[in-house]
Amino acid sequence: MTEDPKKHGFATRLSHAGRAGTHVHGFVNPPVHRGSTVLFPNVAARREGAKHRFDQYMTYGTQGGPTHYALEDVIAEIEGGSRALIVGTGLAAVAVPLLAYLKAGDHCLMPDSCYGPARNLCDGLLQGWGIETTYYDPVIDAAGLAALFRPNTKVLYTESPGSHTFEVQDVPALAEVAHAKGARVLMDNTWGIHHFKPFAKGVDVSIQALTKYVGGHSDVLLGSVTVNSEAEWRTVRGTASLLGQYASPDDVWLALRGVRTMAVRLQRQQASGLEVARWLEARPEVQQVLHPALPSHPQHALWRRDFTGACSLFGVVFQPRYTVEGVSRFIDALQLFGIGASWGGFESLAILTSGHVTRTAGGAGFGGPMARIHVGLEEPADLIADLEQGLTKLEG
């Protein structure tokens, strides 16, 4: 592109970022570059390469190659950061920055609504290494958060909205407290991809499960860690190198292909998700729909302030008269919704939430059994008809 790409819209940037350009002879999509050993013309050139371990410069396969660099550039563009690291899974994207900024004797603050495997990491590996985690109410205010800080608190972790209960956090206010205390702010921004600009809101490190909307087709496992400063990049990239973190170039290429259509998928899935959520909200069987874009959501005002849109994942709380077994029958009866983890693909999903949420900082008492819904690219009318017939199974 000859014009300043920052002037173009999101869909245009996704179509052009990370590839050679429009007036270049060759295939539209860059090829897959696979390799372990990188050859150098002479000893001096190899010695020079060692100086570029933090750059997009081929020194050895684990440091990435052109396929990785292309996706790095696209993700940095989406997140609004300067550099992005691609790793093998979303959980790896959680683990790398936590391990980069925490050592034995340190303290981490983690929202009580966080992604379950992130909690397992804190309560397992990190605890075993002498790193203590305090779980805080995700809707805590700045004063409440400040009271939880200790002299050894090094990381404030945020996830907005929460994985199963969808609380929206006041990230700018919480980040201000963390920075005043000398801590780094990490954020799982997977739900808010494109719609939440982490570095404009005080975040230091943004985490994405690229498995979700970037891949878009439920056939790759990838994660990313994006930063907006050279100091943070050296910390994160250095830790990833020490851990041998690497992503398959074939999966990276699939993610590059998936991301080209992400703008239109996000737009369609946001609209379809809201249509389905509003329909469920009006049903007598439903007590509450946990979708931040609905005016009924407790933190809807924060969502309106900080987000430009929504993804198609939300929670449903059924009336207390129904049982967990009843909600299980409802899910089992659905024909167009798969029963499985993850989300962000083209297919709709439904899972039981009750019994799968761990909370230790209070809250999450919604009063009825819960499920989580992901709306894919099917016709909303068809999904609604499927949900309607499934609701008849709640009573047994």
Side-chain angles (χ1 to χ4, degrees), residues 253-305:
W253 188 89
L254 285 171
L256 277 169
R257 187 171 69 170
V259 80
R260 303 303 179 191
T261 63
M262 190 178 75
V264 291
R265 287 187 283 106
L266 280 175
Q267 186 178 39
R268 168 63 186 270
Q269 287 177 265
Q270 172 182 253
S272 296
L274 276 168
E275 184 174 344
V276 172
R278 292 185 183 113
W279 181 84
L280 281 165
E281 189 174 44
R283 293 290 303 193
E285 301 91 343
V286 173
Q287 175 177 280
Q288 185 182 4
V289 175
L290 305 174
H291 193 313
L294 293 178
S296 58
H297 189 278
Q299 292 88 47
H300 177 68
L302 276 179
W303 174 82
R304 286 181 59 87
R305 186 193 73 183

Side-chain angles (χ1 to χ4, degrees), residues 87-90 209-212 218-223 247-248 251-252 342:
V87 293
T89 66
L210 305 183
T211 305
K212 309 299 196 282
S218 301
D219 53 8
V220 295
L221 290 166
L222 286 174
S248 160
D251 286 350
V252 169
S342 200

Side-chain angles (χ1 to χ4, degrees), residues 79 91 95 172 174 228 312 349 366:
E79 293 274 72
L91 180 55
L174 302 184
N228 202 32
S312 58
L349 299 168
F366 291 97

